[in-house]
Amino acid sequence: MYYRILLAYDGSLGGRRALREGANIAIKFHAVTHLLAVMKPAFGAQIGHGFDIGHIADTELNHFQTTLDEGVAMLKDWGLDATGHLVRGDPVTEIARLATEVEADLVVVGHGGHAALSRWWRTPLSASLLDRLDCSLLIAMHGEAADEVVDT
């Protein structure tokens, strides 16, 4: 049974698929839902002089916050108890951290590329999401059904 579900969300096709599949499961089990958007660490050290790093950071933050707010609003429109979380860091680390913090029973991530699923399995530090979760993991693949209506 799933009582608490964590959805990783970035607004991409794979992320929207994860949102919808996770929402379908949350509806069926009346689960509390947490939506997580992860901003990668600031790249300010890589930018030369003359750039307004503060403006770039603010624009990035606004984009992620808007995306997260839209996702939470969709979940709430579908009748779910949803909370949004916006963090900065490595996606694998932050997904695992929040899953532990909220005692998630299920984590749902999206994947939309044709390459191997290595995005979730290996980070530059070789930390595996599979090895770091104490709960079930669902990988939602995007495709033609990515925009199907949530079951109610």
Side-chain angles (χ1 to χ4, degrees):
M1 193 116 206
Y2 300 116
Y3 300 103
R4 289 167 301 279
I5 299 175
L6 172 59
L7 309 173
Y9 186 63
D10 62 3
S12 67
L13 284 176
R16 288 196 308 263
R17 178 63 183 223
L19 182 80
R20 291 183 184 282
E21 287 193 26
N24 277 320
I25 294 167
I27 289 167
K28 289 182 189 320
F29 291 103
H30 306 286
V32 172
T33 308
H34 294 270
L35 192 61
L36 172 64
V38 181
M39 297 171 49
K40 292 190 178 186
F43 57 92
Q46 300 171 352
I47 297 177
H49 295 291
F51 286 92
D52 182 358
I53 295 170
H55 176 70
I56 293 170
D58 288 346
T59 301
E60 180 185 33
L61 176 63
N62 289 338
H63 167 74
F64 275 91
Q65 188 65 57
T66 299
T67 300
L68 179 65
D69 291 346
E70 289 170 353
V72 169
M74 283 190 278
L75 291 170
K76 288 184 176 186
D77 285 347
W78 295 328
L80 291 168
D81 177 9
T83 303
H85 305 266
L86 177 60
V87 299
R88 184 179 299 274
D90 170 65
V92 170
T93 300
E94 294 304 324
I95 290 167
R97 182 196 57 76
L98 188 59
T100 299
E101 182 180 311
V102 301
E103 299 177 345
D105 304 301
L106 175 66
V107 171
V108 182
V109 298
H111 180 74
H114 297 292
L117 297 173
S118 62
R119 171 178 161 183
W120 300 115
W121 313 149
R122 299 284 170 217
T123 67
L125 302 175
S126 295
S128 170
L129 182 57
L130 291 173
D131 293 336
R132 297 182 70 182
L133 291 176
D134 292 325
C135 63
S136 296
L137 173 66
L138 171 69
I139 299 117
M141 303 296 287
H142 92 296
E144 290 181 28
D147 292 323
E148 63 192 32
V149 177
V150 171
D151 297 330
T152 55

